[in-house]
Amino acid sequence: MKHRLLGNNGFKISEVGLGCWQLGADWGKEIDKTKAFDILDEAVTHGIDFFDTADVYGDGRSETLIGDFLKASSHNVKVATKFGRTGNVYPNNYTEDTLKSCVEKSLKRLGVDCLDLLQLHCIPTEVLKNGAIFDWLRTLKQEGKIAHFGASVESVDQGLICLEQEELQSLQVIFNIFRQKLVEELLPQAAEKGVGIIVRLPLASGLLSGKFNANTQFPEDDHRNYNKDGDAFNVGETFAGLPFERGVALSEELKTFCPDGMSLAELSLLWILDHKEVTTIIPGASATKHVIQNAKTSSLPALPEQLVQDLKRFYDEKVHEHIRGVY
């Protein structure tokens, strides 16, 4: 497993991390504690030492499971969590007191005295523009409650607003073959300012795994069902903002770009890692086999330049016009 530096004055983490939303059981089939530990253990066994979670995932369940796992093991893992989407905060109760209260609860659930990385969790643009919340984060850093802070954002504009802030360690963004706009402005500016990039939804909610077809059905409580058109939250968080049927058709076409012996998932993850501005990708995993497959990406050689150009042309000509939501 290769490692990269998360921002200037940051820390080294595995270039393939683990997204832990599913451990919270907010959607899909619940993952019990034994299976969750198996997934986390498989991750560290394969060199993954960066977990991404949030206080809202399962109302703290994901953080608690990670905390219990790390308490029972000797592995050195960096954990990034998030603040800003719990019911008592979102959408209009962003105060220094609520931030401090949520941080204290995350510290307790994770079983630590200091959070490795606290990220603002897709909070309203107006709050980002106001800027006071970043002063509160700097205070928490000075108090030793958090080691670093960053922001998970929904759009390029939000990312650019955050990049104006001193001490910003990282940006978490949606970035994949279906969502390439960030290459033009946001990634270069982040690199120039020494801000690390954490990529969520690298497989576009599974579209880029190549395993779905037009008849695929998702459970009622799965966000790929109830949020496929953005009815619950930002449509870009599900299928990268593509209508499902269109995404399936585009994924099938993308398979023709795969080099011999390479799966669509491997192509998709490697395409992201080939961008030097990216620090880590955080695909989720509902089974240990997914962890193993994702970790393997770190050992693959870079994609040929001609293939990268072909994928850019594919995005420009066939994908971009179908993306919905803020971007």
Side-chain angles (χ1 to χ4, degrees):
M1 175 64 67
K2 300 185 185 71
H3 286 67
R4 302 185 183 188
L5 191 65
L6 183 70
N8 289 347
N9 305 314
F11 43 81
K12 281 192 173 183
I13 55 176
S14 54
E15 64 180 14
V16 178
L18 180 66
C20 298
W21 183 12
Q22 286 166 300
L23 300 188
D26 288 317
W27 57 279
K29 186 176 181 180
E30 180 173 328
I31 297 174
D32 64 27
K33 186 172 183 177
T34 299
K35 187 173 182 180
F37 273 33
D38 288 343
I39 291 170
L40 295 171
D41 187 63
E42 197 71 56
V44 295
T45 298
H46 284 81
I48 293 174
D49 57 15
F50 181 72
F51 298 163
D52 177 86
T53 185
D55 58 0
V56 75
Y57 294 169
D59 192 25
R61 183 173 188 267
S62 177
E63 286 183 330
T64 298
L65 286 170
I66 292 170
D68 290 347
F69 172 77
L70 294 178
K71 193 182 305 179
S73 71
S74 59
H75 300 291
N76 183 19
V77 176
K78 296 293 186 182
V79 179
T81 192
K82 310 183 197 74
F83 153 85
R85 298 290 292 199
T86 54
N88 66 322
V89 175
Y90 182 82
N92 54 13
N93 190 29
Y94 293 92
T95 68
E96 188 167 15
D97 285 342
T98 57
L99 171 61
K100 287 183 176 180
S101 175
C102 288
V103 166
E104 290 295 339
K105 292 174 183 176
S106 289
L107 288 168
K108 184 177 181 179
R109 287 189 290 261
L110 288 167
V112 296
D113 297 321
C114 177
L115 299 177
D116 295 321
L117 175 67
L118 178 66
Q119 304 161 98
L120 300 178
H121 196 176
C122 300
I123 69 174
T125 301
E126 297 73 25
V127 180
L128 294 175
K129 285 183 176 178
N130 176 276
I133 197 166
F134 291 100
D135 291 330
W136 306 337
L137 289 169
R138 281 185 274 268
T139 297
L140 286 170
K141 188 175 176 182
Q142 292 168 0
E143 293 175 350
K145 297 293 185 180
I146 62 176
H148 303 281
F149 64 82
S152 178
V153 297
E154 295 177 335
S155 68
V156 168
D157 287 344
Q158 286 186 339
L160 294 175
I161 291 169
C162 293
L163 285 177
E164 297 175 1
Q165 293 292 332
E166 295 293 328
E167 299 183 62
L168 186 78
Q169 199 67 37
S170 61
L171 282 176
Q172 185 176 133
V173 297
I174 305 172
F175 182 52
N176 53 57
I177 292 176
F178 284 156
R179 211 170 170 91
Q180 299 188 27
K181 178 182 175 182
L182 283 65
V183 173
E184 301 169 6
E185 185 176 11
L186 187 60
L187 295 189
Q189 289 205 28
E192 182 179 342
K193 292 179 177 290
V195 174
I197 295 291
I198 301 167
V199 174
R200 70 182 184 277
L201 295 170
L203 295 178
S205 305
L207 272 180
L208 291 169
S209 71
K211 297 178 181 179
F212 301 155
N213 59 54
N215 297 317
T216 300
Q217 299 290 319
F218 300 100
E220 185 176 344
D221 62 350
D222 191 313
H223 75 100
R224 292 171 293 187
N225 180 2
Y226 67 77
N227 194 59
K228 63 180 181 180
D229 294 316
D231 294 332
F233 43 84
N234 175 21
V235 68
E237 301 286 349
T238 304
F239 302 132
L242 286 170
F244 178 67
E245 294 77 8
R246 175 70 62 176
V248 168
L250 290 168
S251 296
E252 283 301 309
E253 191 169 349
L254 268 176
K255 290 179 181 179
T256 65
F257 289 82
C258 294
D260 290 343
M262 181 177 288
S263 69
L264 178 57
E266 290 171 339
L267 171 71
S268 301
L269 296 179
L270 188 57
W271 179 87
I272 300 170
L273 289 177
D274 279 351
H275 290 81
K276 64 181 184 303
E277 302 93 343
V278 170
T279 304
T280 187
I281 55 176
I282 50 170
S286 57
T288 55
K289 65 180 181 180
H290 300 147
V291 176
I292 298 169
Q293 292 164 357
N294 295 335
K296 178 184 173 184
T297 310
S298 182
S299 64
L300 298 176
L303 297 175
E305 180 57 34
Q306 183 59 55
L307 176 54
V308 174
Q309 294 177 15
D310 291 342
L311 291 172
K312 174 63 165 64
R313 185 162 50 251
F314 173 82
Y315 166 79
D316 289 339
E317 296 177 356
K318 299 190 176 185
V319 180
H320 176 69
E321 64 179 305
H322 300 290
I323 299 292
R324 302 168 297 171
V326 293
Y327 184 16

